[in-house]
């Protein structure tokens, strides 16, 4: 895995080319890909890479991209989030796992 692909969209495309094809979202106590109904609890995934993007003129454009792989299957995908995952969006275990890699 490369450490720099360029922009957020270039990084997503680069990771997709490397097999990170699922699009994960945070759901209370897990990550979920709605297209495939794949759900991963904090103990069922690893974070293979973290990429940070800062908006040039607007702090609201900041984002973190996680490259995620399952420890229970061959599922791999990405999670795009604003800077940090809040406790409002996810369980404490999920927030702790994601923040450990910041």
């Amino acid at each position: 895995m490369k450490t720099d692909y360029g922009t957020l969209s270039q990084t997503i495309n680069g990771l997709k080319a490397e097999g990170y094809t699922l699009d994960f979202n945070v759901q209370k106590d897990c990550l979920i890909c709605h297209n495939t109904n794949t759900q991963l609890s904090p103990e069922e995934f690893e974070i293979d890479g973290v990429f940070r993007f800062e908006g040039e003129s607007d702090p609201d454009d900041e984002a973190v991209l996680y490259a995620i792989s399952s420890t229970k299957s061959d599922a791999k995908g990405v999670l795009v989030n604003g800077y940090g995952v809040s406790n409002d969006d996810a369980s404490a275990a999920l927030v702790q796992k994601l923040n450990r890699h910041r």
Side-chain angles (χ1 to χ4, degrees):
M1 174 181 306
K2 292 168 59 172
T3 57
D4 185 15
Y5 296 82
T7 66
L8 176 60
S9 61
Q10 290 169 330
T11 303
I12 291 170
N13 290 335
L15 289 170
K16 282 186 180 182
E18 293 182 33
Y20 292 86
T21 57
L22 301 180
D23 182 19
F24 288 111
N25 292 290
V26 172
Q27 188 169 347
K28 187 70 177 161
D29 57 352
C30 66
L31 298 181
I32 185 166
C33 174
H34 293 288
N35 291 339
T36 62
N37 206 29
T38 302
Q39 295 184 26
L40 301 175
S41 64
E43 60 276 352
E44 296 175 331
F45 69 87
E46 291 297 325
I47 299 172
D48 302 327
V50 178
F51 305 88
R52 291 172 183 78
F53 302 91
E54 296 182 13
E56 291 184 28
S57 61
D58 186 354
D60 290 337
D61 291 340
E62 296 176 342
V64 178
L65 171 65
Y66 298 92
I68 305 285
S69 62
S70 171
T71 59
K72 68 177 191 169
S73 70
D74 61 351
K76 291 170 45 172
V78 296
L79 168 66
V80 178
N81 210 323
Y83 253 103
V85 177
S86 73
N87 285 325
D88 295 338
D89 299 333
S91 69
L94 188 58
V95 170
Q96 181 180 14
K97 179 132 189 187
L98 294 172
N99 285 337
R100 190 175 1 173
H101 293 277
R102 292 183 52 121

